[in-house]
Amino acid sequence: MPNIDVNGKSYETDEEGYLVNLGEWNKDVADYIAKTESVNMTEQHWEVVDFLRSYYDEYQIAPAVRVLTKAIGKKLGAEKGNSQYLYELFPYGPAKQACKIAGLPKPTGCV
Amino acid sequence: MSGDTIKKFLFVNRKAPYGTVYALESLEVVLITAAFDQDVSLAFLDDGVYQLKKGQNTKGIEMKNFSLTYRALEGYDIEKLFVEKEAMEARGLTKEDLLVDVTVLDRQAMGQLMDDQDVILSF
Amino acid sequence: MLHIINKSPFVSSTLETCLEVATGGSVLLIEDAVYGAVAGTILEKKVSAAQTKLKLHVLGPDLEARGMSGALIPGVEKIDYAGFVDLVSRHKTCQSWL
């Protein structure tokens, strides 16, 4: 298993870079993963990442992108609940990239 | 997926959660199927009704509490959940014991539901 | 003797057979067998009646995982993992029914 080192601590990831232990996640790890994805974390990015973490807390899954988009629209407003907004923040896919930064597993049904 | 034919899928769940992996496997396939815009229904028969029991807490057995995920199905546009009346009665359960909104069907109606499908996946 | 059952009594006849075969001692319900310890099911009568010759136990963490820690059949004792170990060590023989 590959590892990433952040602030002197080692974190286990899978071969695609997703954190293995959800509970180990913290903002520094998120920042680190974001850098490897060439994502520059802004307040808007954190909003989505925080949303994903609370979604996971509630439902125990990472949502599919369609479900995420709809749920974000409901929670944060229609101007954010659309794929254009989310893909601008996370160019390689909001579900895949944002989930990775949020320390969640890859969304079910995502190949 | 942009196909013109939408098929009716029924997932038949008959196993209790945690003791075997069937319930979790079924749920994962359901979530994947949801991505393909099909007409998905879920049926819970026999011990399968236990999958929807409220108040599951898996801390003690160190497994994932996937019962919470049934509540996410609505967001995936999977809203047709059917539960076998006789199975609930045998187990002393009522609709109020379940963590999602369901339609209760007796065995005969359940059989008709099955007849009405294009694809059935049994777990 | 301690009998350990892990199959749902609604799916398998294991619990029923065990309750009829066992002459005395203890029965412990674990995993999917814990549903047999719950009050209000069609099996309650049969399970309850077996208590004239057997002491029945159920594993708490397995009950809680399944959201079934509400009403148990009167007389059935809920135990934790330490109680499980205790129970095994208190009995000379132990049979895990397959």
Side-chain angles (χ1 to χ4, degrees):
Chain A
M1 282 286 180
N3 282 285
I4 53 172
D5 291 302
V6 184
N7 295 338
K9 196 175 177 265
S10 188
Y11 298 87
E12 198 183 338
T13 66
D14 68 11
E15 38 310 300
E16 290 174 282
Y18 288 82
L19 215 57
V20 170
N21 301 311
L22 232 89
E24 288 185 344
W25 183 89
N26 58 53
K27 298 235 161 184
D28 291 337
V29 173
D31 263 327
Y32 180 95
I33 299 173
K35 274 201 196 90
T36 66
E37 295 280 327
S38 307
V39 170
N40 191 15
M41 293 297 283
T42 66
E43 209 175 300
Q44 284 75 36
H45 291 88
W46 283 115
E47 199 173 43
V48 176
V49 166
D50 288 341
F51 180 88
L52 276 170
R53 292 205 50 98
S54 68
Y55 185 96
Y56 192 91
D57 253 5
E58 189 170 351
Y59 300 119
Q60 298 294 298
I61 45 165
V65 63
R66 171 174 65 87
V67 178
L68 172 71
T69 311
K70 203 168 68 178
I72 289 223
K74 238 188 229 171
K75 178 95 185 285
L76 305 173
E79 72 281 3
K80 293 179 177 173
N82 62 76
S83 29
Q84 199 197 335
Y85 174 80
L86 293 170
Y87 271 91
E88 269 166 26
L89 293 177
F90 303 100
Y92 286 95
K96 261 189 211 180
Q97 230 171 9
C99 282
K100 194 188 270 191
I101 296 168
L104 306 188
K106 202 171 173 177
T108 304
C110 208
V111 266
Chain B
M1 195 171 78
S2 59
D4 357 84
T5 45
I6 291 182
K7 286 190 175 175
K8 289 171 80 91
F9 279 70
L10 177 68
F11 289 83
V12 177
N13 301 285
R14 292 185 49 255
K15 301 278 194 290
Y18 311 117
T20 62
V21 80
Y22 291 98
L24 176 59
E25 291 286 327
S26 170
L27 188 54
E28 290 196 337
V29 181
V30 165
L31 292 171
I32 291 164
T33 310
F36 296 99
D37 286 330
Q38 301 295 307
D39 181 359
V40 176
S41 301
L42 272 59
F44 298 86
L45 285 74
D46 294 333
D47 271 1
V49 300
Y50 282 138
Q51 294 176 24
L52 302 178
K53 176 72 179 63
K54 268 183 194 160
Q56 299 178 35
N57 177 356
T58 54
K59 273 213 176 72
I61 60 168
E62 293 180 17
M63 288 172 81
K64 179 167 152 167
N65 179 3
F66 58 85
S67 72
L68 299 172
T69 307
Y70 294 103
R71 289 207 175 116
L73 291 176
E74 198 184 355
Y76 281 77
D77 297 320
I78 296 171
E79 288 165 323
K80 285 182 277 187
L81 275 58
F82 301 95
V83 168
E84 183 205 339
K85 180 168 170 276
E86 289 83 351
M88 283 214 290
E89 284 170 359
R91 289 159 184 77
L93 299 174
T94 66
K95 264 176 90 161
E96 283 65 49
D97 292 312
L98 306 183
L99 44 75
V100 282
D101 208 18
V102 298
T103 304
V104 179
L105 298 180
D106 63 22
R107 283 182 171 165
Q108 200 188 341
M110 203 55 101
Q112 282 157 3
L113 177 73
M114 290 176 183
D115 289 341
D116 202 27
Q117 305 297 318
D118 298 308
V119 182
I120 298 192
L121 292 114
S122 197
F123 288 88
Chain C
M1 143 120 108
L2 170 66
H3 300 271
I4 300 174
I5 313 278
N6 76 339
K7 302 283 189 301
S8 166
F10 295 101
V11 173
S12 147
S13 57
T14 314
L15 177 60
E16 238 176 285
T17 307
C18 168
L19 293 180
E20 283 174 26
V21 168
T23 57
S26 293
V27 174
L28 171 62
L29 306 177
I30 65 170
E31 299 171 22
D32 285 347
V34 300
Y35 294 115
V38 176
T41 75
I42 47 163
L43 298 167
E44 174 166 2
K45 239 187 195 160
K46 211 168 237 172
V47 175
S48 194
Q51 295 186 102
T52 52
K53 57 171 182 176
L54 295 163
K55 173 69 189 155
L56 303 182
H57 308 263
V58 60
L59 194 59
D62 281 332
L63 269 179
E64 282 141 27
R66 290 162 180 78
M68 302 306 293
S69 44
L72 297 182
I73 294 172
V76 178
E77 190 188 347
K78 185 164 106 171
I79 61 169
D80 58 12
Y81 289 120
F84 189 165
V85 175
D86 251 18
L87 208 54
V88 172
S89 63
R90 278 214 320 270
H91 290 82
K92 197 168 63 115
T93 50
C94 175
Q95 177 178 197
S96 284
W97 289 63
L98 264 184

